[in-house]
Amino acid sequence: MTVAVAIPARTAPLGPRGVAELTQVDVGGYRLGVMIRGVDTAAPVLLFIPGSPGGTEIGTVRRYLGALERRFVVATLDRRGGGSSYPALDPTATVTLDSEVTDTLAVTDYLRRRFGQEKIYLLGHSGGSIVTVLAVQRHPEKYRAYIGTGQAVDLVTTDRIAYHDILAWARFTGRNGLAAQLLDQGPPPYRSVYRYEPIMMYAPQAYDYDHTPNAPGATGFTIGVAEYTLLQKVHTMNAILDTWSALYPDMQHVDLRRDVPRLAVPVYFVQGGHEMRSLAEPFRDWYQQLDAPQKHQYVFETAGHRAMFEQPDRFVAVMARILAG
């Protein structure tokens, strides 16, 4: 007979001046899970908004970016539907791009009050980077700087480029069934999120590169750690699908090249040299035209879309330079 034991989520403690906790933040009728870790509660606060709707990066941040905790109080948010924020997915009608931005600002205010800091740093990855850019645009006075990595700009353009690249790759490699499927459904955007399955599934193969110089952080979420309960692990896949279905159509209306020509804070970008063309090209166009008090791009040549986790030591070094700057 097998018995499942409900072990509570926990995160390893830090020193006497530090903070190490999994907490819940009230964002107005909903509670979102946040992991907060840092060796000194007086250090500058860094809020990280992860990429995939319904995904969670708490375990990956703790595993690969623990060195950030020596310079920052690092707060990693589980967005609505992801990880410890899975209950906030109900009802799904409340999960919109505007609610995601509002959530980010609410968690920002919680951190500013709790740690007594007028401004904090904001870090966004992939799909989460659209949310973070809009949060900074709406309330720049809350942020010292914005850091984007795997920066998304225009999801419709990204999906169309990916569609054509994957179709060409399928034809070249003799994957005739995949090519036929893509031709049958035509290029995006699609009404149903499930039509994006071949793009999401085959993009890593079509845009593959040599991963040997990197840490294994390119492979995705790290959920086999103490920061997750068994129930949160079980919900991972359906959380992603349910949240994508609710949120993705709303995010397709944004094009940062049109909607965000200027940000009123210093901006920094960490991009992989092997970033997918579908993301790299729209980002290049937006970066060239973006007006900001200060902007800089760091390129990790051996990394791809998850550069911050593939080259974690280098990412920590970049964050140290941003902090010193």
Side-chain angles (χ1 to χ4, degrees):
M1 178 179 179
T2 302
V3 178
V5 179
I7 301 175
R10 61 196 186 282
T11 193
L14 293 170
R17 296 180 56 189
V19 57
E21 65 180 46
L22 302 173
T23 191
Q24 296 277 317
V25 177
D26 190 336
V27 295
Y30 297 91
R31 297 182 66 80
L32 300 181
V34 185
M35 180 178 72
I36 305 176
R37 294 181 57 85
V39 299
D40 185 352
T41 55
V45 173
L46 171 67
L47 171 58
F48 172 48
I49 309 299
S52 175
T56 173
E57 297 282 15
I58 281 177
T60 317
V61 168
R62 206 262 296 150
R63 175 167 291 182
Y64 293 103
L65 295 173
L68 279 178
E69 299 165 9
R70 297 197 289 269
R71 297 181 181 272
F72 296 89
V73 173
V74 183
T76 304
L77 177 66
D78 272 344
R79 294 164 61 189
R80 291 197 194 199
S84 56
S85 298
Y86 181 72
L89 182 58
D90 184 27
T92 56
T94 65
V95 184
T96 65
L97 180 57
D98 183 70
S99 73
E100 292 269 307
V101 175
T102 301
D103 290 348
T104 299
L105 292 168
V107 175
T108 293
D109 288 339
Y110 167 83
L111 295 168
R112 292 168 65 226
R113 290 192 303 269
R114 176 170 174 180
F115 295 99
Q117 298 185 20
E118 182 181 358
K119 299 182 179 184
I120 69 172
Y121 292 89
L122 185 61
L123 166 65
H125 175 245
S126 191
S129 67
I130 289 181
V131 175
T132 47
V133 164
L134 296 178
V136 171
Q137 182 190 47
R138 190 177 297 182
H139 282 288
E141 75 281 1
K142 300 179 189 290
Y143 299 105
R144 294 190 184 190
Y146 170 67
I147 305 98
T149 181
Q151 180 70 50
V153 171
D154 171 10
L155 297 181
V156 171
T157 297
T158 289
D159 291 336
R160 285 174 175 164
I161 294 174
Y163 169 88
H164 290 292
D165 285 351
I166 294 168
L167 176 58
W169 169 80
R171 287 168 163 166
F172 180 76
T173 57
R175 290 170 168 81
N176 298 326
L178 173 60
Q181 178 185 357
L182 290 170
L183 287 171
D184 179 64
Q185 66 186 45
Y190 307 123
R191 296 181 65 88
S192 169
V193 127
Y194 293 94
R195 300 289 295 275
Y196 289 92
E197 181 183 4
I199 296 177
M200 292 186 287
M201 179 176 296
Y202 290 102
Q205 298 178 53
Y207 291 114
D208 200 13
Y209 55 95
D210 181 11
H211 295 268
T212 54
N214 304 323
T219 56
F221 309 134
T222 304
I223 62 173
V225 293
E227 280 78 8
Y228 299 109
T229 66
L230 177 60
L231 189 60
Q232 288 164 7
K233 296 174 185 178
V234 169
H235 276 311
T236 299
M237 185 51 66
N238 61 295
I240 292 173
L241 292 174
D242 291 346
T243 311
W244 270 81
S245 296
L247 182 61
Y248 202 69
D250 198 29
M251 295 186 69
Q252 291 177 318
H253 301 296
V254 176
D255 182 348
L256 299 184
R257 294 169 297 188
R258 176 196 65 220
D259 302 331
V260 187
R262 182 177 188 277
L263 288 173
V265 304
V267 295
Y268 306 91
F269 298 96
V270 175
Q271 299 293 101
H274 296 286
E275 177 62 278
M276 295 176 285
R277 185 176 78 94
S278 57
L279 282 162
E281 290 192 357
F283 168 72
R284 179 198 61 206
D285 296 341
W286 180 56
Y287 180 80
Q288 289 174 350
Q289 72 183 47
L290 178 64
D291 180 31
Q294 180 177 345
K295 70 176 181 179
H296 188 81
Q297 179 182 180
Y298 299 90
V299 178
F300 294 1
E301 295 83 2
T302 67
H305 184 55
R306 292 171 61 81
M308 63 185 288
F309 299 121
E310 295 173 81
Q311 290 285 313
D313 293 343
R314 190 171 177 188
F315 182 76
V316 170
V318 165
M319 291 302 300
R321 290 181 63 181
I322 292 171
L323 184 60

